[in-house]
Amino acid sequence: MKQIAKNLSFAGMLLLAGFFASCKDDEDPIKDLTVRISPPPHADEYVIEQGQHLEIPFTVGEAKNAELTATASADKTEYTVAATLSESDPGSGVITVTAPDLILSPVTVTVTLKVDDSKTQRSATGTVAVSSKLIDGFTEITAPANCYVAAPGALVKFPANIGNTTEKAAFQTADLLWQDVAGMVEQLIAAPEENCVYAVLKSGVSGNAVVAVKNADGAVVWSYHLWVADFDPDANVMTWTDSESGTSYKMMDRYVGAVSNQPGSDLSNGLFYQWGRKDPFGSSNYEGKLKAMYDMAGAEVTRTVEPVSVTDNMPNAILNPLTHYSGVSGGNYSWLSNNKGSADIDAISDYWGGVTGVQTKYDPCPAGWRVAPSGAWYFYTDSNVTVEKVFAEGVDAPANKDLLGRYVSTDGGTTKFWFPAQGEVAHAGSYGNGIGTNWPSSKTWSSTVDADNFRVWATSISPTTVSPKGGIGFGYELPVRCVKL
C-alpha cells in the first residue's frame, strides 16, 4: 500500500489540479448565466470512498466568454479541483473530486463551481456537499492504554498516551517493532498533531504486534501492544466470588495476546511479560519453542538479553521494549535494578496495581481491565469450581504433568476456561517448555493455589530470590490474565 502524505484530512488529499475553461467567443446574443449542479442519483448526497474519482455533472447555461473554477473546502481550507466542459455541449461538464488512498476521518467537503464572465461583469456560483466514507472496519479507540484490541482487517486509530494517563506522548514517527504474523500490519501512520497512530491491518489475519512512537531523534517515547483478534473481551468472562472476602472477580477467557481460547492449538498461548513491564515478548508454540517475531518487511527479529546495569532500569525498559533484562546472579534476579539489597516490595508490586488495585500506566491489559491479583486465583481452592486436566495430543497422563493445561468450570461444566501450560522464560533469558506459570499483580501468591501446575511454589513473587522455596524472581517472563476493573 502506498504511503500517504502527512496531511491526514480528507480535503487535504483532494486532487490538487485546477482547470480553467473558456467558452467559444462568437456573436450569438448572451442568454443566461447559471450554475446548476446535478443532484446525486438514487441518494440524498454525494458520497466518496477512499481512492475513488467522483464525477459530478453540472450545467452553466450560456457561459459566453466565461471562466470556470472549481474548489473544495473543508476545515477552513480551500483546494482547487478539476472542472471540465463537454466538447460537444459547452454548456455542460463535470467536476472531478479525487479521494486519498486512505480516508482517516469523516468529513463533509463543500464543492463550489464559479462561472465568471468579466466581459459582461456577470458571475454565478453553485455548491454541492460531498461526504467521505470511512474504510470498512474503521475502529477508533479513545480510551488510552498499553494494549489495544482490534479485529483483523481493521483500520484502527488509537491514542498515543503514556499508558492509561492523560499525558500525551511527544512523538514524531511510529514504527513496528515486531509482529508474530508476517504482513499482519500493512501500514502505520503517525499523527502527532492528533495524538494518535493509525494502523492498517491485513484482512483475515490475527496475531500481535508492538508499535513504538519515537521522537525526532528516533528514540522510543512509548510503545503499544496491538492485540488483533476477532473477539470481545467482555463477551465471555469467568465470574467468581471469594466467599471469605466477598470480593467478586471477572476474569478474561484467555491470556493477553491469545487469539483463541480453545485447547489443541498454540493460538491459545498468551504473550510473555517480565513482571511489572508494560511491553510483551512473543509467545511459545506446541513444538517447545518461542514463536518467531517479524518486522514490517517480514524479516525475523529477536529479543536481546542484557544484564541490568543501573539501580533504576524502568527508563531503559521503556526505551528498549525488545530487550529482556537479566537479573543480578546471586542477587535479586530482577530486571528492575542491579541493587542486590532489599527492595521496596509495595512500590514494586504497584507497578501493576498490586497495592492500589487500579490499572497503572505500566499495566499490560486493555482499558477497563487490570492484571489479575493473587486473590482472583483462589477459585482453584473453591469446592464449587470444577478443575479438569487436559493433556496435549500424544501426551500420557499423569506422568508428563508439566505439559498439561487446565479447563476450569464454575457452573457444573458448561462454561469452561482454558489455562494452557505454555512455559516460561527464565530471568537469564532461556525458555522452558511445558510449565504452567502466570503472573498475579501483587506480591503474595499462596502455595495452596494449584502450586504444582502453576509452578509458583511459595508465598511470594520474590524480588530477592529465584529458588523454588522462595518464589519466582521479577526477571522471569510469564503470561498474564486480566480481570475487569
Side-chain angles (χ1 to χ4, degrees):
M1 181 174 290
K2 297 183 294 183
Q3 293 292 327
I4 67 173
K6 290 292 185 181
N7 187 338
L8 299 181
S9 71
F10 166 65
M13 294 302 297
L14 291 173
L15 182 66
L16 305 181
F19 183 90
F20 303 95
S22 294
C23 293
K24 182 180 178 181
D25 186 5
D26 54 34
E27 301 301 325
D28 294 337
I30 298 175
K31 296 179 181 178
D32 188 17
L33 186 61
T34 59
V35 173
R36 294 186 178 91
I37 299 178
S38 302
H42 317 300
D44 295 330
E45 62 178 353
Y46 282 104
V47 177
I48 194 168
E49 300 181 17
Q50 58 187 26
Q52 183 182 28
H53 301 283
L54 178 64
E55 293 188 342
I56 304 172
F58 67 86
T59 60
V60 293
E62 184 67 22
K64 185 182 180 72
N65 298 316
E67 196 172 65
L68 274 63
T69 56
T71 57
S73 60
D75 301 325
K76 299 181 181 180
T77 305
E78 187 173 87
Y79 304 88
T80 302
V81 294
T84 57
L85 285 174
S86 168
E87 292 184 2
S88 60
D89 179 10
S92 65
V94 294
I95 304 168
T96 302
V97 179
T98 301
D101 290 340
L102 286 175
I103 297 176
L104 301 179
S105 60
V107 68
T108 297
V109 176
T110 300
V111 178
T112 301
L113 179 65
K114 183 178 181 181
V115 183
D116 189 5
D117 188 345
S118 59
K119 185 175 181 179
T120 60
Q121 297 184 339
R122 297 181 309 155
S123 65
T125 60
T127 62
V128 65
V130 178
S131 297
S132 64
K133 180 182 178 182
L134 290 173
I135 184 175
D136 290 340
F138 177 80
T139 303
E140 181 175 8
I141 300 173
T142 57
N146 293 313
C147 173
Y148 297 115
V149 180
L155 165 61
V156 57
K157 174 184 179 182
F158 60 87
N161 287 37
I162 302 301
N164 64 340
T165 72
T166 58
E167 182 183 355
K168 299 177 181 179
F171 70 102
Q172 295 295 321
T173 61
D175 291 324
L176 178 73
L177 296 184
W178 63 265
Q179 55 189 336
D180 55 15
V181 180
M184 182 184 72
V185 179
E186 295 186 324
Q187 188 175 354
L188 290 174
I189 303 164
E193 68 282 357
E194 298 182 58
N195 184 50
C196 73
V197 176
Y198 295 87
V200 181
L201 306 175
K202 188 173 183 179
S203 178
V205 178
S206 298
N208 297 275
V210 172
V211 174
V213 292
K214 299 181 178 180
N215 61 22
D217 296 326
V220 173
V221 178
W222 206 258
S223 46
Y224 309 92
H225 167 211
L226 292 183
W227 187 358
V228 184
D230 227 344
F231 88 109
D232 178 1
D234 294 296
N236 192 20
V237 296
M238 180 179 70
T239 300
W240 174 75
T241 300
D242 187 336
S243 59
E244 293 186 7
S245 67
T247 303
S248 292
Y249 301 96
K250 292 184 177 181
M251 184 175 287
M252 204 177 280
D253 72 350
R254 65 194 70 192
Y255 287 130
V256 175
V259 298
S260 172
N261 64 348
Q262 300 299 317
S265 169
D266 52 29
L267 295 178
S268 64
N269 288 353
L271 300 177
F272 287 114
Y273 293 83
Q274 286 192 292
W275 195 96
R277 292 184 70 174
K278 65 184 178 65
D279 295 302
F281 297 94
S283 187
S284 59
N285 57 31
Y286 273 12
E287 297 174 358
K289 300 178 182 178
L290 293 175
K291 291 181 180 179
M293 298 181 289
Y294 307 92
D295 62 17
M296 186 73 85
E300 190 168 339
V301 298
T302 58
R303 70 190 79 194
T304 59
V305 179
E306 295 181 12
V308 178
S309 59
V310 294
T311 56
D312 180 10
N313 201 42
M314 180 62 82
N316 287 332
I318 293 171
L319 286 170
N320 303 286
L322 255 176
T323 299
H324 171 107
Y325 289 99
S326 58
V328 179
S329 179
N332 54 37
Y333 295 95
S334 167
W335 65 271
L336 284 164
S337 177
N338 63 354
N339 183 1
K340 291 186 178 183
S342 60
D344 187 338
I345 307 302
D346 284 346
I348 294 173
S349 296
D350 212 38
Y351 279 133
W352 277 354
V355 175
T356 58
V358 301
Q359 187 194 45
T360 69
K361 69 178 182 180
Y362 302 118
D363 192 295
C365 294
W369 299 80
R370 60 170 291 228
V371 176
S374 55
W377 296 95
Y378 278 81
F379 59 77
Y380 266 93
T381 65
D382 191 329
S383 60
N384 295 318
V385 174
T386 301
V387 178
E388 195 177 321
K389 309 290 185 179
V390 178
F391 294 83
E393 185 177 354
V395 175
D396 295 327
N400 294 301
K401 185 172 59 176
D402 280 348
L403 295 176
L404 59 82
R406 290 153 306 281
Y407 271 130
V408 176
S409 174
T410 58
D411 59 354
T414 58
T415 301
K416 296 182 178 181
F417 291 79
W418 169 241
F419 297 84
Q422 66 182 64
E424 64 188 21
V425 177
H427 71 93
S430 61
Y431 171 67
N433 182 38
I435 302 168
T437 320
N438 57 59
W439 285 131
S441 70
S442 47
K443 63 184 179 180
T444 57
W445 175 267
S446 172
S447 59
T448 63
V449 182
D450 198 25
D452 289 337
N453 299 324
F454 273 110
R455 175 72 166 71
V456 183
W457 300 277
T459 57
S460 67
I461 300 298
S462 174
T464 57
T465 181
V466 76
S467 70
K469 293 184 179 180
I472 286 185
F474 287 171
Y476 273 57
E477 292 179 28
L478 307 179
V480 166
R481 189 78 63 137
C482 302
V483 296
K484 197 73 176 172
L485 285 172

